[in-house]
Amino acid sequence: MSFTGKYELQSQENFEPFMKAIGLPDDQIQKGKDIKSISEIVQDGKKFTVTVTTGSKVLKNEFTIGEECEMETLTGEKVKTVVQMEGNNKLVASLKGLKSVTEVNGDTITHTMTLGDLTYKRISKRI
């Protein structure tokens, strides 16, 4: 299954408590909570480019499945990680104690991030 496509955020759960927990400032949380972010994923074999645009903020990460890479987090910090693929539709990575799982099912992409016992879930649809 290909991840390639543009996806618009449809719904999210636990946005504010999760963003507070990872250290995002309150003003950024308030600005970001009502914006429908657009995620663009380009997959070329095992190589991925993921660009998330939220208002004027653009977060772009590139990685190859199974190889160490440097990723920028939501707080702007750069961390090293290895992204693995589970099955043919799930990307899994760990960034400083945070587990990130991105799963594609048809035209829906579900991104779940877990930090301790707090889970943040985003559901986006292909546009």
Side-chain angles (χ1 to χ4, degrees):
M1 175 164 306
S2 176
F3 283 79
T4 297
K6 263 191 176 178
Y7 303 87
E8 183 180 33
L9 180 66
Q10 299 296 308
S11 65
Q12 52 189 0
E13 297 167 16
N14 285 334
F15 175 79
E16 288 187 65
F18 189 85
M19 295 304 151
K20 274 188 170 53
I22 64 167
L24 213 60
D26 283 346
D27 64 322
Q28 284 186 21
I29 293 171
Q30 292 311 312
K31 271 193 241 165
K33 72 176 183 176
D34 296 319
I35 296 175
K36 295 283 189 208
S37 66
I38 303 287
S39 301
E40 185 172 7
I41 302 173
V42 178
Q43 178 182 359
D44 180 11
K46 290 185 167 196
K47 190 172 185 223
F48 285 78
T49 302
V50 179
T51 308
V52 180
T53 306
T54 308
S56 60
K57 185 171 167 63
V58 178
L59 186 67
K60 184 175 181 176
N61 284 306
E62 296 182 17
F63 59 90
T64 302
I65 300 296
E67 293 180 14
E68 187 178 71
C69 64
E70 187 175 76
M71 284 201 174
E72 186 177 346
T73 67
L74 295 168
T75 56
E77 189 178 356
K78 305 258 193 217
V79 293
K80 291 201 181 301
T81 189
V82 176
V83 180
Q84 300 292 353
M85 188 173 280
E86 289 182 6
N88 64 350
N89 69 331
K90 197 183 284 189
L91 300 172
V92 181
S94 290
L95 306 119
K96 287 188 67 183
L98 180 137
K99 183 176 182 186
S100 169
V101 178
T102 304
E103 186 171 3
V104 172
N105 284 308
D107 286 338
T108 303
I109 201 159
T110 305
H111 185 200
T112 308
M113 288 187 273
T114 308
L115 183 66
D117 58 1
L118 190 58
T119 299
Y120 166 51
K121 186 174 182 180
R122 300 166 45 98
I123 296 172
S124 301
K125 288 244 186 274
R126 192 183 297 265
I127 52 174

